[in-house]
Amino acid sequence: MAKEDYEVVMGLEIHAELSTKTKIFCSCPTDFGGEPNTHCCPVCMAMPGTLPVLNEKVVEYAVKAGIAMNCDIAENSKNDRKNYFYPDLPKSYQISQFDMPLCKNGYIEIETKDGKKKIGITRIHFEEDAGKLNHDEYGGGSFVDLNRAGVPLIEIVSEPDIRGAEEADIYLKKVKSILEYIEVSDCKMQEGSLRADVNVSVRKKGDNKLGTRTEMKNMNSFRAIQNAVAYEVKRQIDILESGGKVEQETLRWDELQGETISMRDKEDAQDYRYFPEPDLALIHISKEYVEEIKRNMPELPESRKNRYISYYNLPEYDANILTSTKYFSNLFEGALEVCNNPKAVSNWIMSDIIGILNEKEINADKIPFTAKDLGELICLIDKGTISTSIAKKVLLEMFDTSEKPNKIIEKNGWVQISDEGAIIEVVNKILAANPQSISDYKAGKDRALGFLIGQAMKETKGKANPGMLNKMFLEELNKQ
Amino acid sequence: MNVSREEIIHMANLADLNLSEEEIQKYTKDMEDILAFANEINKVNTDNLDESITANERYNILRKDEVKEFEDKDALLQNAPSQKNGMFHIPKMI
Ligand SMILES: [Zn+2]
């Protein structure tokens, strides 16, 4: 059988660090970086006799995520201990949630090439992150830094509804975008604040039974997931095609070698011996609490998109891109507050800003100017202060210097020339230098006018008001 | 309650313990006694009682999300058998 006769079935477990100020069970700061073991205290270092106290924001953020992903919020929930030994886990157990997660039975909608599709969310629970092991920096041994130990995480577990690497990519980006919109995680994959365990299995098309799955842990880039899944799917199909059996196991993706490597043998099958955490009280979530959070939820991308289409008359394609991250969406809405020209603002983001971001290889969250700045820039075009071509130069400088558009224009002397006397002077100068164009125009070649305007623009370094140039060239040509 | 030799070895592995043959025998017997003792509770009549998930009936014991830095940082590492650059130094892990 060929590769096309198989169907890929995937589920994702996404871990997102919550953007609370303090850790989940103690008051240490969660700031990224910092000297090793400086964001620590006896609680997150698991000193004997210490007790955890749950951060109320962790519950709030996890409930927010549950609501945004259409989950049922459990009225009663609890914490459990997940037991395993690893030096980045100082208590030798992780406080997590086992059989009574905070959120269950949700879904999110993604746009695939075959249209909209729902991906089921089995559950969302909260837990603590582990510390970090450093290797080889100072010769032999390993070194434990517990700054990240106890940083709150949510784990979002999907149903096995994902068919292939491309859908996994769309799904992960959608989850990231939602978490950013509701401001519960900053989702920085490079810093490890968003990472995914990816389950993959294959089965013959038409089969209802799931194939044996393998799991790849801690994937923290979109590209690694694409490559790892492609490799793993081929590996599993090759095994089945040659009459073998896929083993259920945990794999590690080796980006350099471009292959998956088995992490543990089966004899050591994971047995976490979960049991209820005796050091923490139960969590009770009232209907009023959920309603209150619902009332204060930021508007989600789906709703923003529909509003852009119906209220601002933007094409669905544009609305999709503008709402693909909160950074574009907030830029769009912020600019509109200053400059009420939705089509123009949308175009500037869709073509110029996204173009510059791609060229400079920077992410949308790193745009160095404010939405108000963009609005002002577009207003300056609408008012005739600068031409569109000058505005493009101003935008580039805004990216480089983060300065206000007005200041950049003033500094470079880029104000559009709209003074009649000055324009007529340029028009006459260009006409005098181009007698051939005058005869061409007289002979009915309209292109000659475009050439003359182009020359005048060049002469004024793009600062002449194009509308006035057009009008005055016509007047002068008709006089001749 | 029967506890198998394999179960004892599995539990010992999970706890990172190496047991001698003698210890395996002894703990198998001990574990059977413990389970038999715990089984006593199954004799209690629980008809008409709600299921409880904890012995502690209190709920929502929460704290505000406010940073309080722990001051005595040096004390945190003072019992480390070995440390370097503010980190716990341990055998090589991969
Ligand atoms: Zn702490």
Side-chain angles (χ1 to χ4, degrees):
Chain A
M1 282 175 73
K3 186 171 173 273
E4 294 72 44
D5 299 319
Y6 285 90
E7 178 180 51
V8 180
V9 178
M10 296 176 58
L12 258 61
E13 291 169 18
I14 299 174
H15 290 89
E17 279 186 359
L18 298 177
S19 47
T20 53
K21 292 193 199 75
T22 67
K23 291 188 178 181
I24 183 167
F25 299 123
C26 62
S27 301
C28 292
T30 53
D31 308 333
F32 189 78
E35 290 299 306
N37 296 311
T38 53
H39 299 165
C40 296
C41 73
V43 175
C44 53
M45 279 204 165
M47 297 296 175
T50 56
L51 286 171
V53 187
L54 182 57
N55 181 344
E56 64 178 12
K57 280 280 172 201
V58 171
V59 178
E60 182 190 321
Y61 285 7
V63 168
K64 257 185 166 176
I67 293 170
M69 299 187 197
N70 307 295
C71 292
D72 300 332
I73 309 301
E75 204 180 319
N76 291 299
S77 185
K78 70 173 166 71
N79 288 106
D80 299 275
R81 287 189 185 178
K82 179 181 181 177
N83 299 280
Y84 64 94
F85 287 125
Y86 204 69
D88 64 3
L89 187 73
K91 293 192 296 295
S92 290
Y93 57 85
Q94 179 194 31
I95 302 181
S96 179
Q97 295 195 285
F98 182 52
D99 56 340
M100 294 175 71
L102 200 55
C103 320
K104 290 188 288 206
N105 302 330
Y107 67 88
I108 65 171
E109 230 170 39
I110 60 169
E111 306 269 347
T112 71
K113 57 181 189 308
D114 307 318
K116 282 191 202 317
K117 176 175 175 178
K118 272 186 190 174
I119 306 290
I121 305 287
T122 316
R123 56 186 280 160
I124 303 175
H125 68 254
F126 63 88
E127 59 188 22
E128 56 183 332
D129 206 350
K132 187 171 181 290
L133 292 186
N134 296 295
H135 307 287
D136 288 326
E137 271 177 70
Y138 315 102
S142 295
F143 301 88
V144 188
D145 172 10
L146 296 175
N147 279 351
R148 305 312 291 164
V151 168
L153 298 172
I154 48 173
E155 180 175 329
I156 303 159
V157 182
S158 86
E159 292 286 302
D161 290 342
I162 300 164
R163 301 283 173 270
E166 195 182 330
E167 267 185 34
D169 191 58
I170 299 169
Y171 168 75
L172 183 55
K173 283 181 176 148
K174 183 75 185 236
V175 169
K176 179 173 184 283
S177 146
I178 290 173
L179 296 177
E180 285 170 352
Y181 270 102
I182 61 174
E183 299 181 330
V184 302
S185 172
D186 52 20
C187 296
K188 290 189 178 137
M189 294 186 93
Q190 321 84 284
E191 294 180 3
S193 71
L194 188 78
R195 49 193 198 252
D197 299 346
V198 182
N199 296 310
V200 183
S201 66
V202 298
R203 65 179 170 195
K204 286 182 184 141
K205 277 188 184 154
D207 271 8
N208 285 325
K209 210 168 145 273
L210 292 173
T212 305
R213 64 186 185 147
T214 58
E215 184 178 28
M216 290 173 282
K217 293 243 183 223
N218 276 329
M219 309 289 292
N220 65 355
S221 88
F222 289 109
R223 202 194 50 189
I225 292 172
Q226 295 285 315
N227 295 342
V229 171
Y231 176 89
E232 185 55 19
V233 166
K234 182 173 182 308
R235 189 186 72 89
Q236 291 187 12
I237 292 175
D238 286 349
I239 291 174
L240 296 176
E241 282 294 292
S242 58
K245 245 182 84 202
V246 174
E247 297 283 340
Q248 178 161 354
E249 60 184 339
T250 303
L251 304 169
R252 184 172 62 81
W253 170 243
D254 187 324
E255 183 79 43
L256 283 178
Q257 299 298 321
E259 60 186 23
T260 52
I261 297 162
S262 181
M263 274 172 80
R264 310 185 177 97
D265 55 29
K266 271 197 310 175
E267 283 167 45
D268 214 16
Q270 286 302 303
D271 181 353
Y272 292 125
R273 293 149 294 149
Y274 281 98
F275 64 87
E277 169 56 67
D279 289 344
L280 287 166
L282 298 176
I283 300 149
H284 177 77
I285 304 286
S286 67
K287 288 202 172 57
E288 294 74 39
Y289 181 82
V290 174
E291 285 311 313
E292 176 70 21
I293 290 181
K294 274 188 187 162
R295 261 197 304 281
N296 294 313
M297 283 282 268
E299 192 185 9
L300 290 169
E302 209 55 33
S303 157
R304 289 196 191 202
K305 188 179 95 185
N306 294 333
R307 194 158 50 80
Y308 293 178
I309 295 169
S310 61
Y311 190 73
Y312 297 128
N313 285 319
L314 295 183
E316 183 169 358
Y317 177 79
D318 300 27
N320 261 331
I321 292 182
L322 289 178
T323 54
S324 63
T325 105
K326 77 164 179 183
Y327 301 105
F328 291 153
S329 187
N330 289 349
L331 188 63
F332 175 70
E333 297 192 6
L336 281 190
E337 283 174 21
V338 183
C339 175
N340 189 20
N341 186 346
K343 190 67 204 161
V345 175
S346 168
N347 285 341
W348 274 87
I349 296 173
M350 299 271 300
S351 54
D352 296 275
I353 291 179
I354 292 182
I356 294 169
L357 289 174
N358 287 341
E359 199 187 296
K360 291 182 183 277
E361 291 182 0
I362 49 180
N363 290 325
D365 61 323
K366 295 274 157 34
I367 294 174
F369 51 83
T370 64
K372 198 166 161 255
D373 294 344
L374 177 65
E376 274 165 12
L377 176 68
I378 297 167
C379 264
L380 289 170
I381 308 169
D382 289 354
K383 280 192 292 199
T385 311
I386 53 171
S387 65
T388 303
S389 60
I390 290 290
K392 286 177 197 279
K393 293 209 265 185
V394 177
L395 183 68
L396 276 172
E397 279 221 32
M398 285 161 67
F399 265 99
D400 289 340
T401 64
S402 324
E403 275 180 330
K404 303 277 162 212
N406 267 324
K407 202 166 163 213
I408 294 170
I409 292 163
E410 195 181 310
K411 193 179 69 187
N412 291 289
W414 281 343
V415 176
Q416 181 159 281
I417 304 165
S418 299
D419 173 64
E420 274 199 37
I423 299 242
I424 195 80
E425 203 173 295
V426 178
V427 166
N428 285 327
K429 186 174 169 196
I430 298 295
L431 284 174
N434 295 282
Q436 184 59 44
S437 298
I438 300 174
S439 350
D440 286 351
Y441 180 79
K442 294 273 171 203
K445 289 184 190 163
D446 287 343
R447 263 187 311 151
L449 176 61
F451 173 77
L452 290 167
I453 292 173
Q455 291 302 106
M457 275 303 211
K458 214 182 208 174
E459 175 73 22
T460 57
K461 299 194 175 69
K463 290 191 293 184
N465 181 320
M468 288 177 72
L469 274 182
N470 193 59
K471 181 167 155 272
M472 287 177 151
F473 266 118
L474 278 177
E475 279 172 12
E476 290 303 309
L477 283 167
N478 291 333
K479 270 191 221 161
Q480 303 235 350
Chain B
M1 272 242 121
N2 280 331
V3 176
S4 73
R5 183 188 155 78
E6 286 68 39
E7 283 172 312
I8 293 294
I9 293 173
H10 177 60
M11 279 186 275
N13 283 338
L14 288 171
D16 252 0
L17 296 173
N18 282 318
L19 301 185
S20 68
E21 191 50 43
E22 240 167 69
E23 285 169 321
I24 293 174
Q25 308 267 338
K26 179 181 172 353
Y27 291 140
T28 306
K29 172 84 181 55
D30 286 354
M31 195 57 79
E32 282 177 350
D33 289 347
I34 291 168
L35 289 177
F37 177 72
N39 253 337
E40 283 293 303
I41 207 159
N42 284 339
K43 294 179 185 161
V44 177
N45 183 350
T46 55
D47 298 348
N48 307 322
L49 286 178
D50 289 335
E51 190 185 12
S52 60
I53 39 179
T54 170
N56 183 350
E57 294 294 330
R58 296 205 298 163
Y59 57 84
N60 295 356
I61 312 291
L62 301 165
R63 48 163 249 277
K64 293 247 174 282
D65 186 26
E66 287 163 3
V67 174
K68 243 184 274 154
E69 299 245 12
F70 181 73
E71 300 293 339
D72 196 1
K73 306 272 187 214
D74 291 338
L76 291 172
L77 270 85
Q78 78 180 11
N79 290 336
S82 173
Q83 54 167 297
K84 218 165 202 176
N85 292 28
M87 288 185 275
F88 298 91
H89 183 195
I90 60 166
K92 180 108 186 137
M93 299 293 302
I94 277 292

